[in-house]
Amino acid sequence: MTLITDVQLRKVLDSRGNATVEAVVHTERDGFGRASAPSGASTGEYEAIELPADEAIAQAREHAVSRLVGQVYAGDQRMVDRTLTAADGTDDFSRIGANSAVAISMAAAKAAADVLGAPLYQHLGGTFRGSDVPTPLGNMIGGGEHAVGGTHIQEYLSAPVGAPSVSDAVFANAAVHQTVGELLSDRGVTANKGDEGAWAPAITDEEAFDVLESAIAEVSDELGFRIEIGLDVAASELFADGSYQYGDNTRTTDEQIDYIAELVGDHELAYVEDPLEENDYEAFARLTDRVGEQTLICGDDLFVTNTDRLADGIGSGAANSILIKPNQIGTLSAAFDAIELAVENGYEPVISHRSGETEDATIAHLAVGTAAPFIKTGAVGGERTAKLNELIRIEDTA
Ligand code: PGA
Ligand code: ZN
């Protein structure tokens, strides 16, 4: 009853003003699903390939659409995704583009949920999964590839782990974001916002910790629950010629491990993403061995939502958490496989947006449907609040 009757593809705007792929899937019984692909800036070397939107659309129309229409049921997500994979025929979606693939994959899931009359998270997670809503990690201060001239560490995150509800957590992050803005202006520092809405002042990493800690203390006191700090170091972007480059400062791999371990202790970090470069499983394992009891060491560029790379990481003890970005791997099924492998091995899955986003809120449903403990999706800006407000709605109606 969810046979796909039409697949449309079009070019729409993303939050950076770039073109991205939007897919619409129609099925029997008036099923309708619409979804769009996000886009990274600090992309991992091993991610599935994003093609220019026009090319991805043309290739998917030529190779994938006729294999889906009249042949595949949107309710059979595995079959939808196997068909996309077969239509592509490569191991990195370089023929039809991971952007076309993920947009179609997500649109099919939405069309199936529409026919079933179920919320997307329930269709994705199944009825026994419950509706635990994840804690949002909000990007407060940043730099790296998302804002030239900002901090070296790409993202300073607010993690309202003590919030009694997702709504409280979302508003806590917004309050921390506002407070950071006020503290920066008190210090006479002007700041624009980076691609994910974080403040991007020209301050040092130490000053960023200082400002964020003050803001968190203020908001946490006022709201009466615990808020912790997380980081996305995005260290692959800092790594050049065998060492980590912080402007004029250089750290060897051993020094980088010491530095991150000190930050975890000094700032009681709840979460550290990509603290080392994406090929160095061994250094990841040494850091996880040192601080993995105290914090989450999360692989983003390291794992790229890929079960083969995650299996290598599990084997070597590289981390204890994985970032899940469906567009890194191209389909919802492959993202699910990565989540399942992670959970089976005690790794915490963290569902994530990209720096280039649209108003698509599928990741909010993916996070609830898989009972992920955290979702990283910014704090302010329409393409970020699309997901945060969806979490509030899910919590309110579940
Ligand atoms: P990206 O950044 O979407 O630009 O890759 C987000 C991240 O690194 O987590
Ligand atoms: Zn990252």
Side-chain angles (χ1 to χ4, degrees):
M1 73 186 199
T2 59
L3 188 67
I4 295 174
T5 54
D6 193 21
V7 176
Q8 296 161 2
L9 294 161
R10 65 171 70 92
K11 198 166 69 170
V12 296
L13 270 180
D14 79 6
S15 55
R16 273 195 279 256
N18 294 330
T20 190
V21 178
E22 176 172 279
V24 173
V25 169
H26 289 278
T27 71
E28 295 176 319
R29 300 200 175 206
D30 288 333
F32 169 84
R34 181 173 61 213
S36 49
S39 173
S42 64
T43 48
E45 189 181 337
Y46 303 101
E47 291 192 22
I49 304 299
E50 174 188 332
L51 295 177
D54 282 321
E55 192 184 335
I57 288 169
Q59 291 295 324
R61 279 189 186 137
E62 184 177 341
H63 300 292
V65 169
S66 64
R67 290 180 180 237
L68 291 164
V69 173
Q71 316 235 16
V72 174
Y73 291 86
D76 185 351
Q77 190 69 40
R78 290 272 172 199
M79 185 55 93
V80 169
D81 293 341
R82 268 202 299 275
T83 303
L84 288 168
T85 305
D88 178 78
T90 72
D91 60 6
D92 58 5
F93 278 110
S94 51
R95 190 178 198 193
I96 67 169
N99 38 346
S100 274
V102 81
I104 295 170
S105 179
M106 298 191 303
K110 289 185 181 180
D114 186 33
V115 174
L116 297 170
L120 180 59
Y121 72 85
Q122 198 173 65
H123 170 55
L124 293 176
T127 190
F128 293 108
R129 189 83 75 157
S131 51
D132 290 340
V133 182
T135 299
L137 300 172
N139 195 353
M140 299 293 140
I141 303 175
E145 293 294 298
H146 297 165
V148 177
T151 51
H152 294 296
I153 291 176
Q154 181 177 280
E155 299 169 22
Y156 289 80
L157 303 160
S158 166
V161 292
S165 71
V166 82
S167 171
D168 289 306
V170 166
F171 281 96
N173 280 347
V176 173
H177 189 275
Q178 279 172 3
T179 308
V180 165
E182 286 159 16
L183 293 175
L184 288 170
S185 121
D186 290 350
R187 291 181 180 212
V189 178
T190 51
N192 293 320
K193 290 181 196 164
D195 287 350
E196 294 181 354
W199 298 107
I203 57 176
T204 64
D205 288 294
E206 292 72 33
E207 287 171 312
F209 276 112
D210 195 37
V211 170
L212 183 55
E213 264 163 356
S214 305
I216 278 179
E218 206 175 306
V219 172
S220 171
D221 273 358
E222 195 180 312
L223 298 181
F225 55 77
R226 188 160 173 75
I227 305 174
E228 295 180 347
I229 294 181
L231 298 178
D232 181 3
V233 183
S236 291
E237 308 293 338
L238 301 174
F239 192 71
D241 304 325
S243 61
Y244 296 87
Q245 319 276 337
Y246 293 75
D248 296 336
N249 273 344
T250 291
R251 291 188 171 94
T252 65
T253 298
D254 284 347
E255 288 166 348
Q256 176 76 356
I257 292 172
D258 288 343
Y259 173 57
I260 300 293
E262 276 164 30
L263 292 179
V264 169
D266 291 351
H267 304 287
E268 297 181 51
L269 300 180
Y271 174 85
V272 186
E273 181 182 324
D274 283 348
L276 292 146
E277 70 98 12
E278 62 207 338
N279 293 296
D280 203 345
Y281 283 87
E282 190 264 336
F284 259 94
R286 278 196 284 146
L287 178 66
T288 300
D289 194 43
R290 247 168 93 171
V291 298
E293 298 281 310
Q294 301 158 53
T295 193
L296 291 181
I297 299 293
C298 182
D300 169 17
D301 294 345
L302 179 70
F303 295 139
V304 292
T305 317
N306 180 313
T307 49
D308 290 341
R309 291 189 62 85
L310 175 59
D312 288 347
I314 290 165
S316 59
N320 55 22
S321 173
I322 177 175
L323 206 68
I324 301 290
K325 293 169 166 170
N327 83 319
Q328 280 183 328
I329 196 71
T331 66
L332 277 178
S333 299
F336 255 80
D337 291 342
I339 294 169
E340 219 156 69
L341 182 63
V343 171
E344 278 164 13
N345 288 279
Y347 274 50
E348 303 272 24
V350 178
I351 314 301
S352 175
H353 65 167
R354 302 305 307 250
S355 50
E357 268 293 343
T358 71
E359 59 278 20
D360 189 287
T362 304
I363 58 166
H365 289 268
L366 180 62
V368 175
T370 58
F374 293 104
I375 182 169
K376 194 174 87 155
T377 186
V380 294
E383 72 283 4
R384 317 293 153 187
T385 57
K387 285 76 162 166
L388 298 169
N389 288 337
E390 191 73 354
L391 291 170
I392 291 174
R393 286 180 206 112
I394 291 171
E395 181 177 68
D396 197 36
T397 52

